[in-house]
Structures are given as C-alpha cells and as structure tokens.
Amino acid sequence: MAGRLLKVSSLATVVFSSSGFYLYNRQLDLSDLSVIRFGRAAAATAVISYDYLTAFRHVEYGTEEYWTLKSKLSELFVSFEENPQGAASLAQVHKAVLHDGRTVAVKVQHPKVQRQSSKDIMVIEVLIKAVNWLFPDFAFMWLVEEAKKNMPLELDFLNEGHNAEKVAKMLSHFPFLKVPMINWDLSTKRILTMEFLEGGQVNDREYMKKHCINVNEISENLGKMYSEMIFIHGFVHCDPHPGNVLVRKCPQSQKTEIVLLDHGLYQVLQPDFRMDYCRLWMSLIKGDLSRVERYSRRLGAGDLYPLFACMLTARSWNAVTAGISSVPVTHAEDVEIRTNAALYLPQISDLLNRVPRQMLLLVKTNDLLRGIETTLQTRASSSSFINMSRCCIRAVARHKRSKTQSRRRHLQITLAESLSLWKLSVYELLLWVKGSMMTRWLSALLCWK
C-alpha cells in the first residue's frame, strides 16, 4: 500500500504543480473535461521525491476525492516507465504506452522550477554586475537579458509543441527529418506528450557504425536542415546538442533519419538581419574580404570585424582571408584559435555586447554544430559549403523578388538564381568526379601492390 501511495502521490502532484490549480483551492468537478485532460497529462511522471510528496499533502489519503483522482489517473497508460529516459535541469522524459497502443514520450517539468528559475536569474544578474564593477572590460549583461527573454519560452511546453509542429511543416520536404508528433490532449504548459522516437546521439560514431549509418550523409543532411532554417526561413532551432539530435534507421524503410528533439528554444531572424547574415556567409565562403567587412559592420561588429569573422567560422584570420571553403582545418589552426580565444576575451565580450541579440543564439548554434562536425570528422567539408551557398543564393533571390513588382525584374532575378545554382551543381559534380577518380586510382594502386 505504501508503494501505491508513493506512485499515486507522484502522479497526482503533477496535476497540482503542472496544471495550474490546486485541489484544496477549488472543488474538483470530474465532469469538467478540461480537468480530466489535465488529469491525464498529470499522470506523466512517477518520480518519488520530497517535492512531489509535499505537494500531495493537500489531498487526504483514503478520501473519496483521493480514490476518484486515482481511478482517473489509472486510465491513462497501459504502462509507464518510472525511470526517466533522460533528465535535465528543467524537465525529464518518461516512456509510456497509451491504451490505443501508441508509445509516447512524456516530458514533465520539475516542480518548483518556475519559481526557482526567476531566483537563479536574479542571482546571476547580481553576480555579473559585481564582476562588471570589478572588471569593467568584462561586460556580460547580455547574458542576463537573454536569459530573461528565453527562460519563460523554454518553460512553456505548449510553446515548444507549437515550435515542433511549425518546423516539421516548414522542413517537410526533407524525408530524412523526423520531428515527434504532439499529443495535445495530454499536454499542458508544463507537460508535453509526444511521439516516442528512438535513436543514437548524433556524435555516437560507434552507434552509426553498428547500424550502418553513413557519417557523411548525416553531416550533410544536418547542414541542409540548418541552412534552410537560418537562411531561407529565419526560424532556427537553437539547441542542437547531441542529446537533442538523434540518428536512426527508419523501422519501415530502413533509410537513415535525423530525429530533432527539444523545440523550446528558437530564434526568429528579422528579414534585414537574415539577408546581411546570408551575404556575410557567402563572402566568407568566397574569401571576399571587402564584403566580409561590409556585412560584419552592418551586423554591428564595427572595427572588430576580423574577430567576428573568426568567431563565426571558428577559423583563423589566414583561413578567412583565403576563403574558408578552400583551406582545410588543421590541428595547428585549432590550437591557434583556442590560444587566441583566451587572449581576446575582453574583445569577445565587447563584440557580444555590440551585435544584435539575434546573433547571440546563432553563435551558440554554430558552436554546437561545429562540435558535432568535429566529432564526426566532417568539419569544413565541401558539401557543407555547397549546401550553405545554395540556400544563400535562394534566400537572396527570394528577398529581391519580394522587393520588386516588375515582372521583368522578377524574371531577371529568377534567371540569375537559376544560373548561380547551375554553376554550383556543376562545381559539385566536378568535385564528385574528381573524388571518384582519386578513389579508383588509389584502389588500383593498392591492388597493384
């Protein structure tokens, strides 16, 4: 009985902490469908902790209200795994099976995280002000401003569900992308129930080898996804750490898929900012320094534009001046970058204070994606630059068409876009032929030996 009480207490508590009402504050009308829906969502967790138990104290054990609530909660799942599939600072995810046979992932926000997060931000703000007072060169107030803006969005799981649906529709032309479908009937602001999708983390090379997943294909497809999000749509998933990006073989088709999870943190890019950022990357790929300077300054970097270019690309200034697509990454260059990052910390702090706030999450996203590419050993590959260039060309052409009413001008822009894309495809084909010839030459050489 004690074990049953512990489980019911943990389940029922989520009704209180996650659905926004307390049973002791109002009469529980079980004919109210919204209450039943919240109750269903509430049965999402079985974490037995002090916080959950103390919240349950408001429903007296053995009362009619207690047994009615328990009866409703027991209707939710055929099975529910008490041990979470994953846990983080804001929430944890449990695997469950509904009565219709569907397997779902149930993401449950930790109790008290709403109140605690605001206190944490306040403490961070005080500490950063103190550091800034002691060391005026280190100005990190942008960190507090971003936390204040983004934390409420990350704590609203309904917002996360809407983001997931939006990006799934936006990138529906990519057959390799899987975004979990949301079960809205079992979701609230603090509980999100979604399709359960399994896979290995995107940086797990052993998993990919075991399941015959092509590392280069994964890296290329990940680049395609993010190039579309950033340059074409301006709606960017900003937390692509390996735990949120899974890879797998589709159980039905056996084709390789990328599973994108955790849609709480997105950055919406304004059109003018997106175009400047797009043109900056085109200039970085080509090594056009005058345009690198022009668009870096337009994005707020000022005289620190060389540092800005190096931060965005994680390349040395020598590589930037030569064109990042034509210079391979070396170990010596990585060491140089790490050394300079420590030396130029005050300038980096100044730069992050200068640039538009939209840039901050993009910088973080770039770093996470580069980390994945480094692990997969696909960093600075020609295919990633080609896909990025292709999206930039399309984005610029679309923007130009939106600014003109002339049919003749529309046609000119479309023809110029088609020509640029054709040149890029020819270049890609030549690289493929060159690579194939090199492969055959090496194979013949090895056979001869």
Side-chain angles (χ1 to χ4, degrees):
M1 178 63 71
R4 291 166 62 194
L5 174 58
L6 286 173
K7 178 172 283 191
V8 173
S9 70
S10 63
L11 295 174
T13 299
V14 185
V15 176
F16 316 143
S17 63
S18 298
S19 300
F21 63 87
Y22 290 79
L23 294 183
Y24 71 95
N25 276 341
R26 53 169 282 187
Q27 293 294 318
L28 181 61
D29 181 6
L30 292 174
S31 65
D32 182 351
L33 293 179
S34 66
V35 173
I36 300 300
R37 188 181 76 244
F38 283 139
R40 288 179 175 176
T45 186
V47 176
I48 309 304
S49 69
Y50 177 78
D51 287 332
Y52 285 88
L53 291 175
T54 53
F56 190 65
R57 69 181 182 272
H58 304 298
V59 179
E60 186 179 349
Y61 172 72
T63 62
E64 181 180 355
E65 184 179 35
Y66 173 91
W67 292 112
T68 302
L69 181 59
K70 180 185 175 185
S71 173
K72 293 298 178 184
L73 294 177
S74 65
E75 296 175 5
L76 286 170
F77 304 110
V78 173
S79 65
F80 189 97
E81 293 188 5
E82 296 187 9
N83 293 325
Q85 295 282 311
S89 57
L90 300 183
Q92 58 191 41
V93 178
H94 293 262
K95 183 179 180 181
V97 179
L98 301 177
H99 285 278
D100 61 9
R102 286 179 296 159
T103 302
V104 293
V106 190
K107 182 176 180 179
V108 185
Q109 193 173 113
H110 295 313
K112 297 185 179 179
V113 75
Q114 293 268 357
R115 284 176 292 168
Q116 190 60 44
S117 63
S118 59
K119 293 177 183 176
D120 291 343
I121 292 173
M122 192 181 305
V123 170
I124 292 171
E125 184 171 9
V126 171
L127 290 174
I128 287 179
K129 284 181 177 178
V131 170
N132 185 234
W133 180 72
L134 292 169
F135 307 101
D137 287 340
F138 295 90
F140 288 101
M141 280 309 296
W142 57 267
L143 184 62
V144 176
E145 293 165 8
E146 287 301 296
K148 285 180 178 178
K149 182 185 76 173
N150 293 321
M151 186 59 72
L153 297 175
E154 291 196 76
L155 292 176
D156 182 354
F157 288 176
L158 293 179
N159 175 66
E160 179 176 341
H162 291 306
N163 286 343
E165 288 194 339
K166 180 175 179 177
V167 81
K169 183 178 180 181
M170 190 175 83
L171 302 180
S172 60
H173 56 288
F174 288 141
F176 59 79
L177 176 62
K178 281 290 291 181
V179 176
M181 295 177 63
I182 307 300
N183 188 323
W184 291 109
D185 288 339
L186 297 178
S187 296
T188 72
K189 288 188 74 171
R190 296 179 179 87
I191 296 176
L192 189 64
T193 305
M194 69 200 98
E195 178 184 8
F196 183 82
L197 297 173
E198 292 183 284
Q201 292 193 1
V202 71
N203 62 346
D204 190 343
R205 291 178 62 89
E206 286 301 313
Y207 176 91
M208 294 191 210
K209 184 178 180 180
K210 180 180 177 181
H211 292 84
C212 301
I213 294 173
N214 188 311
V215 171
N216 292 318
E217 181 185 356
I218 291 297
S219 182
E220 183 175 349
N221 287 342
L222 193 61
K224 285 180 181 178
M225 281 167 42
Y226 269 88
S227 290
E228 286 255 346
M229 280 192 268
I230 294 170
F231 300 118
I232 302 293
H233 301 285
F235 185 69
V236 189
H237 180 288
C238 287
D239 200 13
H241 70 73
N244 289 338
V245 185
L246 307 182
V247 296
R248 68 174 194 168
K249 287 286 188 180
C250 175
Q252 289 77 34
S253 67
Q254 289 303 303
K255 292 183 178 179
T256 301
E257 292 181 333
I258 294 176
V259 179
L260 193 60
L261 304 174
D262 197 347
H263 299 268
L265 187 59
Y266 272 74
Q267 179 67 67
V268 178
L269 307 181
Q270 297 304 313
D272 289 342
F273 171 91
R274 182 166 54 87
M275 283 301 100
D276 286 338
Y277 189 68
C278 182
R279 290 178 172 120
L280 173 59
W281 267 103
M282 293 174 73
S283 306
L284 288 166
I285 291 170
K286 295 176 181 177
D288 187 339
L289 292 186
S290 64
R291 289 170 68 87
V292 167
E293 179 180 358
R294 181 195 309 170
Y295 292 112
S296 294
R297 288 182 180 277
R298 288 180 64 165
L299 289 168
D303 293 336
L304 293 175
Y305 74 88
L307 177 62
F308 183 54
C310 293
M311 282 177 58
L312 282 182
T313 58
R315 303 295 303 272
S316 67
W317 182 242
N318 288 335
V320 171
T321 55
I324 57 174
S325 62
S326 59
V327 180
V329 179
T330 63
H331 175 69
E333 184 183 9
D334 279 339
V335 172
E336 178 188 347
I337 290 167
R338 284 195 295 271
T339 303
N340 287 340
L343 292 175
Y344 290 101
L345 193 56
Q347 289 86 348
I348 292 172
S349 171
D350 182 23
L351 181 59
L352 292 175
N353 269 300
R354 290 186 189 187
V355 297
R357 291 292 171 257
Q358 299 170 76
M359 182 62 69
L360 299 177
L361 283 178
L362 283 184
V363 171
K364 172 199 171 187
T365 304
N366 280 343
D367 287 342
L368 290 171
L369 291 173
R370 275 197 301 271
I372 292 171
E373 289 179 345
T374 300
T375 303
L376 298 181
Q377 299 176 7
T378 58
R379 192 168 156 206
S381 65
S382 58
S383 62
S384 66
F385 291 125
I386 288 170
N387 288 323
M388 190 182 291
S389 299
R390 191 172 277 126
C391 282
C392 287
I393 290 167
R394 288 168 52 207
V396 171
R398 180 184 293 186
H399 182 72
K400 287 179 178 178
R401 280 193 292 265
S402 70
K403 296 294 184 180
T404 182
Q405 300 295 322
S406 167
R407 289 187 179 181
R408 181 181 176 183
R409 181 62 182 145
H410 263 258
L411 180 60
Q412 289 175 335
I413 294 168
T414 301
L415 289 174
E417 176 191 14
S418 300
L419 180 60
S420 296
L421 292 173
W422 178 79
K423 288 180 179 178
L424 204 57
S425 297
V426 170
Y427 176 66
E428 186 176 28
L429 179 62
L430 290 173
L431 288 177
W432 178 82
V433 170
K434 183 180 178 181
S436 299
M437 290 176 65
M438 183 65 71
T439 302
R440 286 198 297 270
W441 182 80
L442 287 173
S443 299
L445 183 62
L446 290 172
C447 290
W448 181 76
K449 286 184 177 181

